[in-house]
Amino acid sequence: MGTYMLLARNRHSDGAEADASHPPAASCGHVAQRTTLHRHAPLLMLVPVLAIFVWMVTCGTGRLFAPEDFGQFYDAQARSLLQGRWDVEPASLRNEAFIRDGKRYGYFGFVPAVPRMALNRLFPAMEGRWSRLSLTLACAVTLSVLHLLVLKAGEFFPASAAIPARLSVAARSVFLLSAGLGSTLIFLGSRAYVFHEALIWGAALALACCYAVMCWLVRPRRWLLVLACGLASAAFFTRAPSGSGAVAAIGLLGVSALWRRRAWFDAVAPLAAVGLTVACFVGVNYAKFRTTFEGVPLRMYSPMIADPARFANTGGRLMSLANVRSTSLAYFSASSVRVAPSFPWLYLALDTAVLPEARLDVIEPFAGMPVAMPALLALAAIGLVVVPHRRATGGATAALPVRAVLLGGATVLAANAISYRYVHDLFPALVACGAFGLHAVLHIRRPALRGAILAAGLPLVLFGIYANCAFALVFQREMVGGTPAAPAREFRAWRAAVDGFMSPSPAASSRSEIPPP
């Protein structure tokens, strides 16, 4: 929560507070207390979200420090870094290794390994047991930063006394609940393995960078710029697609400062951070693979060494524009989901139309955002239109960081694989745009229209929560390997009980109506 506390130093009054900026001296304390309560009341949503997330990430056991299957890579990377090398033990990578000169390397970013370098020295008995706690902390950081970002987005709209304080609190609370349980955030809690840990922290750091840049645009402070640069680099070296948007944001800040002839520090700091990030990227690639800008050399990937046809099918590239149409059809189609008569009735899709030009390697379980996250996607669409036209005090607009994180997340559309977890690379852009969409709805002048839109959005929020919790539960208990046998049996018992209750007929309950995984 350190990032939250540091970023919170820069919070400013929104429209509702502006009207009470000079209250009578006798009531100043009460006004400030009430205003603070209204601003931060949505943080209470962290309690139910984190409770459900912990239940999910621990398979219902509550054991946050239990070792996770395929969750020890970052511990192995921490050990190797302390020894001055990048290669890791084969067991930590299994069949995800990149092999050069007989040594095994991971393509995952190194940032999540850095805190383990200290933690495993301080608590040696805990080595290999951090992944579940790490995902839970990332979830808390994500929602805390998102809360601050929603408040900051409000500063780009004119102050309006027509928005009831309780309505604002309720709307922001539901938005946080939707982001926590009605998105890929809860889905990543289905397994605390290395894939999900990289994704959840990469998105959290990119979102924090977006917020820091927005704060700097509203009220330039050097420490904010330095913080944004550090967060961008950390996001990039955690998960490149989401992190690349953050790096692009600070790079564009530097170019804009040069164009507008601002103070030298405003231009030099972000451009130097981008240059340093690129230099480190090249250095790490060379140390691992003897490449420069190729961070994932598929010719060294052990499954493709064993099966050259997979390498040929992708053209030897992780990213290709030829994949964009096929991945877009998968991620943006309302039909990318399966419905079945058996509990929980809604399932991830397993297949999609692959267009002739695509160079896809694998298709993992996935879902289309219109059906999986309808409320967030609708608000994001509104926000994407609104954000260039909203200006804070001094004329600043948040279009630069929001569009940058969108551009970074969209790179996943060029990936040679389709998977629901990859949608989380778009999470920072989705919720950042959604924050502006939420304020646009709250600032509708006609109360009846505003209330109707908010009321219509509530079923979409509830459906998104149900869908993503169902996806996470089925993925964890039936689809992915490494889940203990007991939770899987427990889930089958739940399904039998629910299906039996819904269809008490012996003939109906005995039929297998579960879509094959």
Side-chain angles (χ1 to χ4, degrees):
M1 301 293 285
T3 301
Y4 173 79
M5 297 301 296
L6 183 58
L7 292 174
R9 291 173 48 195
N10 197 65
R11 63 181 183 265
H12 300 288
S13 300
D14 58 14
E17 291 171 324
D19 297 333
S21 56
H22 299 288
S27 62
C28 183
H30 296 289
V31 171
Q33 185 178 12
R34 186 170 63 251
T35 299
T36 300
L37 178 63
H38 285 162
R39 283 174 60 84
H40 299 296
L43 279 175
L44 291 173
M45 289 297 102
L46 265 70
V47 176
V49 172
L50 288 178
I52 295 173
F53 191 93
V54 168
W55 181 87
M56 184 67 71
V57 82
T58 62
C59 299
T61 66
R63 298 173 58 202
L64 272 177
F65 296 104
E68 183 76 20
D69 187 64
F70 199 31
Q72 289 77 42
F73 166 76
Y74 289 121
D75 297 270
Q77 188 69 85
R79 287 194 300 272
S80 65
L81 288 176
L82 287 171
Q83 296 168 7
R85 56 187 177 86
W86 287 99
D87 60 293
V88 297
E89 299 93 333
S92 66
L93 279 170
R94 300 185 181 177
N95 65 341
E96 290 294 320
F98 285 71
I99 303 172
R100 183 181 67 82
D101 297 336
K103 296 180 179 179
R104 268 66 174 174
Y105 299 86
Y107 69 94
F108 307 102
F110 63 85
V111 167
V114 173
R116 284 169 164 86
M117 296 168 70
L119 289 172
N120 289 337
R121 286 293 183 94
L122 294 172
F123 309 100
M126 290 297 299
E127 186 169 349
R129 297 173 178 266
W130 300 110
S131 55
R132 292 180 175 182
L133 178 63
S134 177
L135 264 73
T136 305
L137 290 176
C139 178
V141 169
T142 299
L143 294 179
S144 299
V145 172
L146 179 57
H147 164 68
L148 293 175
L149 189 145
V150 172
L151 290 177
K152 186 58 61 177
E155 297 184 25
F156 290 82
F157 289 78
S160 175
I163 303 176
R166 289 184 179 179
L167 178 64
S168 175
V169 170
R172 289 184 287 119
S173 299
V174 172
F175 182 72
L176 276 188
L177 189 67
S178 180
L181 298 178
S183 75
T184 47
L185 192 62
I186 187 64
F187 177 77
L188 294 183
S190 62
R191 277 296 311 276
Y193 55 5
V194 61
F195 303 114
H196 287 186
E197 188 170 358
L199 278 159
I200 197 170
W201 274 114
L205 293 168
L207 186 66
C209 176
C210 181
Y211 171 71
V213 171
M214 286 172 58
C215 291
W216 186 87
L217 289 170
V218 172
R219 190 181 181 190
R221 293 292 184 270
R222 287 188 174 182
W223 71 269
L224 275 172
L225 193 57
V226 172
L227 178 63
C229 292
L231 289 169
S233 184
F236 182 79
F237 288 114
T238 300
R239 172 76 179 170
S242 51
S244 61
V247 173
I250 61 169
L252 291 172
L253 272 186
V255 172
S256 175
L258 281 177
W259 181 261
R260 298 182 181 184
R261 298 182 179 180
R262 297 178 64 109
W264 67 271
F265 186 86
D266 296 350
V268 172
L271 293 178
V274 171
L276 184 60
T277 300
V278 172
C280 288
F281 177 65
V282 172
V284 171
N285 290 340
Y286 187 80
K288 287 182 177 181
F289 311 121
R290 293 298 185 261
T291 62
T292 52
F293 292 97
E294 189 180 14
V296 187
L298 295 183
R299 64 187 179 276
M300 302 180 189
Y301 186 41
S302 56
M304 291 192 178
I305 294 174
D307 186 2
R310 289 181 59 182
F311 181 81
N313 191 49
T314 62
R317 290 181 294 177
L318 179 70
M319 299 284 185
S320 173
L321 292 177
N323 297 328
V324 171
R325 287 206 304 160
S326 294
T327 56
S328 297
L329 283 174
Y331 295 142
F332 292 99
S333 172
S335 62
S336 295
V337 70
R338 293 180 297 154
V339 179
S342 233
F343 175 82
W345 306 291
L346 202 62
Y347 294 83
L348 292 167
L350 296 177
D351 200 8
T352 184
V354 178
L355 300 178
E357 75 275 12
R359 308 300 298 269
L360 294 175
D361 180 35
V362 295
I363 298 177
E364 297 180 354
F366 68 95
M369 287 188 286
V371 66
M373 297 177 272
L376 287 178
L377 189 62
L379 286 176
I382 297 171
L384 190 60
V385 174
V386 167
V387 66
H389 307 288
R390 311 312 307 181
R391 296 187 179 275
T393 305
T397 175
L400 185 150
V402 170
R403 287 173 173 172
V405 294
L406 175 60
L407 181 64
T411 59
V412 76
L413 299 177
N416 67 3
I418 292 175
S419 178
Y420 190 51
R421 69 172 184 260
Y422 291 166
V423 177
H424 200 69
D425 285 318
L426 287 163
F427 180 86
L430 194 68
V431 295
C433 290
F436 281 86
L438 177 66
H439 282 287
V441 172
L442 288 174
H443 279 77
I444 293 175
R445 295 181 179 180
R446 295 170 58 186
L449 178 60
R450 178 179 63 203
I453 293 175
L454 292 174
L458 188 57
L460 298 181
V461 170
L462 296 176
F463 182 81
I465 292 173
Y466 167 74
N468 282 276
C469 289
F471 295 158
L473 192 62
V474 174
F475 184 78
Q476 178 188 81
R477 306 294 174 101
E478 286 195 336
M479 289 183 160
V480 69
T483 301
R489 288 195 301 268
E490 180 183 53
F491 178 70
R492 289 194 294 270
W494 294 345
R495 172 180 282 147
V498 173
D499 290 353
F501 177 80
M502 301 295 291
S503 303
S505 167
S509 60
S510 64
R511 288 196 305 265
S512 176
E513 298 175 328
I514 306 166

